[in-house]
Amino acid sequence: MDGRELVRAVRVFTMVRGPRAMRSAWRRWRADARASLPRGAERARVPGPVVDAEPLPGGGVVRFARSELLVRVASSGTVFWSWDGAAPGPSYALAGDPPEPDARASLEPDKDGGWRVVSERVTVAVSRNGAVEVRTPGGVVLRRDLPPRWWEPVAGGPARWVQRSEVPADARFFGLGGRASGPRLREGTYRLWNTDPRGSFGPDDDPLYITMPVQLVVADAGTHLAFHDNTWDGRVTLREGGEGEGSGHDRPGLSEVRMSGGPLRCWVVVGTPARVLRGWTALTGAPALPPAWALGPQHARWGFGSEREVRRVVAGYRERGLPLSALHLDIDHYDGHRVFTVDRKRFPDLPGLARELRAAGVRLVSIVDPAVKVEPGGPVYRGGRAAGAFVRDARGREVRGVVWPGECVYPDFTDPAVRRWWGGLYEERLAQGFSGVWHDMNEPVSFTPFGDMTLPRSARHALEGRGGDHREAHNVYGLAMAGAGYEGLRRLRPGERPFLFSRSGWAGMQRYGGTWSGDVSTGWPGLRASLSLVLGLGLCGVPYSGPDVGGFDGSPSPELFLRWFQLGAWLPLFRTHAAIDAGRREPWEFGPEVLEHARAALAGRERLRPYFVTLAHLARLTGAPYARPVWWGAPEDRALRDCEDAFLLGDALLVAPVLTRGADRRAVRLPRGRWYDTVTGGAYEGPGQVLVDAPLSRIPVLARAGAVIPVRGEDGADELEVWAPAPGRTGGGVVVRDVGDGWERAEIERYTTRLVDGAVRVERVTDEGVVAVAARVRVRGLDAG
């Protein structure tokens, strides 16, 4: 434990009654000591030489002396391989049945005693010793998985394993869930164990709340995603490669995945970044579509304290002409921090408050924690005990921990019956007037003064009827809770799209909603980490996320708060939030200059609301994140791969936030093509780097030449903002209109742009041909030098 961890431990220990936390830690240690046997002697195993093979549709089984490998290629080009009979399911990541195998491809002999599967989009080669290569149709190797190694306890038990892989020398690694040091993952070791970092975190802290064994690898040869479908505790070690100079040899990049148990199975998706994310979300589920109001500005604070304070804050926004879509109530609105309750002294008429705010265009969102206070008279605890809903230890007793309400138990969300019971409890939240929920503390957390703040690893879980312990269930606990909440809200309000986002989760969590940064530290490093988290999660299939604007703890300077606010205004989830001891975070609390510039950022967000609606629908249809790395459309551009301080918002805009103190200019790396400064109208040509102004009043935002962007006009009506194409070039864009917060299918409108005799012509393209543009159009960029 280093000094930072010790400070966090003391803080938690003093905030939650210390003796209870100590007893909880003792119980956790004792339960694991009783239920866990030492691994003892282990036997190492490798596949050995190839013995024979059995062709099957889409691939086949290759048998080795001490193991067997299943390889299957789907018609979409997605590759699945697994060892020792591991099937694609059951899986918490997959949204449904695995994709059908490509009937045109099957296993066939390869050179040197190996085997291969050749399909239209990918070739998979298996060596005679068990190495697996994924190649492009042209034969270029994208990934080479070396023969794995297992360590099996002689006395029995789960085998741990290691899988080493090689990637091209120029490759860059991304993904692995929410990593504060990203989005490009440097050399080092990353843990796969969802973790509350004991307070606020910065770029050097790892792991955090959402870890995923999902790697996105970008190289000259192509882009691919590799997913090791295993929920156990593990570690991923990465090393970037190096290209030889002169007669020197290339050094490949290396990835080493070590898991403490569970199956060795992997999915690989290849193609352009857009194709990879489309294939990944086809496998793990389309992102949930947030209601349109959730794309507006939102405000939260741990410590609103009363209805009076809530009204004061909302009135402050209204009186200053600041838009506000939602206000989030933290645990202090509960009665004694107990979930699904209300403190009637401080909130005597919460449904009435919700109706009042909704009439003013502001929704209420409620925090929901998984821990249930141990109280025999409590309806939630009593109902959960009757349903057998709580996690138990190896001796059949309820596992108890300490969280904000005190001594608590934990629902077993890996049991379908428990998920349904828990989802029904959200009826109380809806009756109180809440329009959405955010899940917190669901790694899950059990406060202890030292060590891992989670449940005993020996705790028993249903795991969909298979049975198992917390070693397998831990990383999917938040994912399963999100599924319980989302499906419960759908049953209770079938005509409305649920709004839910979760602090913890795993691969596939986008099916139920989004996430946020968690307790990011207040400071310039925390601001940079905020952007890293959003971009990295988007590349893992979670497009809707955002940071705690201003940081979780401490008091940001006016400049830091404003720069964070300006960044947040361009991210999918735009929410200010602060800890109970961090003070107020309303824009007017930082002085008149910050208020003026924050008002401009809010106005810009509201103006772009139709564009965010479009991006939300496109994310659901294609898996493409709203916020994308600048290399998204040009992964072959090596300079763009290393650019981490800017991002694309959809295809049309490039956002360059200010991430350093005192900066009023900044360098921006441009993808190829012409780009316009959206404020000055100045034109820049990419690829290359330019220096642009970044006054305190705004951050640089550039528009792609030829782009069509739906916006709100000055009169509040929708219009199309069109940026002039470069001479000899064409452009275009996609628009999806807001059809309300139900399930009605939205229409996709496609537009093209071109220059004709010095004027910009905008046309709408339909299945029937080109038709007149009915929307109001405003052309920009024609007068750029």
Side-chain angles (χ1 to χ4, degrees):
M1 174 178 290
D2 60 21
R4 178 182 295 177
E5 289 177 326
L6 179 61
V7 169
R8 290 175 176 169
V10 171
R11 182 183 181 192
V12 169
F13 187 71
T14 54
M15 290 178 71
V16 180
R17 300 169 188 174
R20 287 184 177 176
M22 286 289 283
R23 286 196 297 270
S24 173
W26 168 252
R27 286 196 300 265
R28 176 181 180 275
W29 176 86
R30 185 174 58 183
D32 282 344
R34 284 175 173 169
S36 302
L37 296 175
R39 292 185 66 89
E42 294 181 315
R43 182 185 298 110
R45 174 170 61 91
V46 296
V50 67
V51 175
D52 61 26
E54 177 186 356
L56 298 170
V61 176
V62 183
R63 297 183 180 89
F64 298 84
R66 290 176 291 277
S67 190
E68 69 176 33
L69 171 69
L70 169 66
V71 178
R72 183 183 298 162
V73 179
S75 55
S76 61
T78 299
V79 177
F80 174 77
W81 56 257
S82 69
W83 289 92
D84 293 341
S91 169
Y92 279 98
L94 270 58
D97 294 332
E100 291 294 322
D102 185 351
R104 299 168 297 175
S106 65
L107 200 63
E108 59 186 43
D110 199 7
K111 60 183 180 180
D112 298 327
W115 296 82
R116 68 179 181 179
V117 181
V118 180
S119 71
E120 181 180 359
R121 295 181 178 175
V122 68
T123 295
V124 183
V126 181
S127 78
R128 62 184 178 182
N129 293 316
V132 180
E133 286 187 354
V134 178
R135 305 170 182 167
T136 68
V140 179
V141 177
L142 295 175
R143 183 180 193 90
R144 185 171 189 263
D145 292 303
L146 303 177
R149 182 182 293 269
W150 295 265
W151 288 269
E152 299 167 330
V154 174
R160 57 189 180 95
W161 53 262
V162 60
Q163 173 72 69
R164 295 183 177 93
S165 307
E166 296 178 347
V167 297
D170 65 288
R172 294 291 183 262
F173 295 99
F174 301 85
L176 295 183
R179 306 288 169 169
S181 60
R184 172 185 159 199
L185 300 176
R186 264 53 175 195
E187 295 185 359
T189 299
Y190 301 85
R191 190 178 178 193
L192 299 169
W193 187 255
N194 292 351
T195 303
D196 178 353
R198 293 174 169 263
S200 61
F201 66 87
D204 296 330
D205 291 300
D206 188 270
L208 298 177
Y209 315 99
I210 300 172
T211 66
M212 299 182 194
V214 178
Q215 298 178 32
L216 189 82
V217 184
V218 183
D220 287 354
T223 300
H224 75 271
L225 179 148
F227 168 53
H228 288 85
D229 193 352
N230 184 309
T231 66
W232 287 60
D233 190 2
R235 283 177 167 79
V236 178
T237 300
L238 303 176
R239 190 192 78 187
E240 291 183 348
E243 294 181 294
E245 298 181 2
S247 60
H249 295 288
D250 286 353
R251 176 171 55 87
L254 296 178
S255 165
E256 179 183 273
V257 179
R258 288 182 176 268
M259 304 299 292
S260 58
L264 175 43
R265 55 187 181 180
C266 184
W267 293 89
V268 179
V269 188
V270 303
T272 64
R275 183 182 291 276
V276 166
L277 265 293
R278 183 189 292 268
W280 173 238
T281 53
L283 191 66
T284 60
L289 185 65
W293 59 264
L295 298 171
Q298 305 177 49
H299 185 73
R301 191 202 311 156
W302 178 13
F304 276 124
S306 67
E307 287 186 11
R308 179 179 179 181
E309 177 66 4
V310 169
R311 287 190 173 92
R312 185 195 70 81
V313 170
V314 174
Y317 274 86
R318 187 183 303 115
E319 291 164 2
R320 293 168 177 83
L322 306 177
L324 181 66
S325 289
L327 189 139
H328 298 216
L329 297 189
D330 213 312
I331 56 174
D332 49 294
H333 87 278
Y334 282 130
D335 183 6
H337 295 160
R338 294 174 301 167
V339 68
F340 302 121
T341 66
V342 176
D343 186 332
R344 298 297 179 186
K345 292 181 179 179
R346 292 185 294 169
F347 292 87
D349 184 15
L350 191 52
L353 175 66
R355 287 192 297 271
E356 173 188 328
L357 297 183
R358 186 158 185 164
V362 179
R363 266 76 169 185
L364 280 184
V365 176
S366 171
I367 190 173
V368 173
D369 289 354
V372 175
K373 182 176 176 61
V374 175
E375 49 178 352
V380 179
Y381 179 67
R382 188 173 62 247
R385 288 203 75 181
F390 301 124
V391 175
R392 296 182 177 273
D393 63 19
R395 302 171 72 185
R397 301 177 305 180
E398 291 175 352
V399 170
R400 296 187 178 184
V402 175
V403 200
W404 303 117
E407 190 171 45
C408 294
V409 291
Y410 300 82
D412 182 6
F413 295 115
T414 69
D415 185 333
V418 175
R419 290 198 295 270
R420 188 169 185 88
W421 165 76
W422 183 265
L425 298 178
Y426 289 72
E427 184 174 11
E428 182 273 341
R429 295 287 86 186
L430 296 178
Q432 298 296 341
F434 289 107
S435 298
V437 295
W438 53 295
H439 288 171
D440 205 347
M441 310 294 286
N442 58 337
E443 288 71 36
V445 171
S446 174
F447 291 140
T448 62
F450 305 104
D452 198 356
M453 303 205 310
T454 185
L455 303 185
R457 296 194 172 211
S458 58
R460 304 299 300 172
H461 291 265
L463 289 166
E464 315 307 313
R466 304 190 312 275
D469 60 34
H470 197 67
R471 293 174 298 174
E472 183 178 358
H474 174 83
N475 281 335
V476 294
Y477 190 88
L479 170 72
M481 181 186 178
Y486 183 84
E487 295 301 332
L489 291 170
R490 284 198 64 172
R491 289 192 301 270
L492 293 166
R493 294 279 176 86
E496 297 180 12
R497 299 198 301 270
F499 176 56
L500 183 151
F501 60 104
S502 174
R503 190 171 80 171
S504 182
W506 201 64
M509 65 180 294
Q510 73 276 357
R511 301 191 296 264
Y512 310 121
T515 185
W516 88 106
S517 65
D519 302 340
V520 62
S521 63
T522 296
W524 293 95
L527 171 59
R528 184 175 290 272
S530 297
L531 178 58
S532 298
L533 286 162
V534 172
L535 293 178
L537 286 163
L539 295 176
C540 292
V542 186
Y544 183 83
S545 68
D548 280 348
V549 168
F552 177 70
D553 60 350
S555 300
S557 68
E559 180 191 7
L560 174 60
F561 176 80
L562 179 60
R563 291 308 196 186
W564 217 317
F565 199 87
Q566 290 168 335
L567 168 62
W570 297 91
L571 295 177
L573 172 59
F574 179 22
R575 183 181 90 145
T576 53
H577 185 46
I580 195 168
D581 55 353
R584 295 171 174 171
R585 291 280 175 84
E586 293 78 47
W588 56 88
E589 299 290 347
F590 294 87
E593 184 180 20
V594 170
L595 174 60
E596 176 187 355
H597 300 329
R599 178 181 287 111
L602 285 167
R605 174 67 175 226
E606 288 298 281
R607 180 173 176 273
L608 277 177
R609 185 81 75 90
Y611 187 50
F612 276 95
V613 169
T614 292
L615 295 178
H617 281 276
L618 293 179
R620 180 163 181 81
L621 292 170
T622 69
Y626 310 36
R628 311 165 186 176
V630 292
W631 49 258
W632 178 261
E636 71 283 355
D637 188 329
R638 297 189 179 186
L640 292 181
R641 286 184 217 157
D642 295 337
C643 178
E644 301 179 286
D645 60 356
F647 63 95
L648 298 175
L649 185 62
D651 287 330
L653 298 174
L654 190 157
V655 182
V658 175
L659 304 176
T660 55
R661 180 188 295 110
D664 59 4
R665 302 193 81 192
R666 62 151 294 172
V668 179
R669 175 70 59 179
L670 298 178
R672 62 178 176 266
R674 174 172 290 185
W675 296 85
Y676 298 99
D677 187 309
T678 56
V679 172
T680 67
Y684 303 95
E685 296 294 334
Q689 184 169 278
V690 297
L691 191 64
V692 298
D693 291 333
L696 194 61
S697 59
R698 62 181 176 87
I699 59 176
V701 178
L702 307 175
R704 190 190 301 270
V708 177
I709 307 173
V711 299
R712 282 182 181 169
E714 294 182 1
D715 60 356
D718 288 358
E719 64 181 27
L720 299 180
E721 182 174 86
V722 177
W723 289 88
R729 299 291 184 90
T730 60
V734 173
V735 176
V736 184
R737 305 289 181 181
D738 182 10
V739 293
D741 294 335
W743 300 96
E744 182 181 349
R745 185 175 181 138
E747 182 182 2
I748 300 175
E749 302 173 6
R750 292 179 171 84
Y751 295 90
T752 62
T753 60
R754 54 195 174 102
L755 282 175
V756 178
D757 298 329
V760 176
R761 178 172 296 178
V762 184
E763 298 173 323
R764 182 178 175 187
V765 181
T766 69
D767 293 340
E768 288 73 35
V770 176
V771 300
V773 177
R776 187 168 58 190
V777 175
R778 187 163 72 101
V779 175
R780 300 187 64 186
L782 272 179
D783 55 350

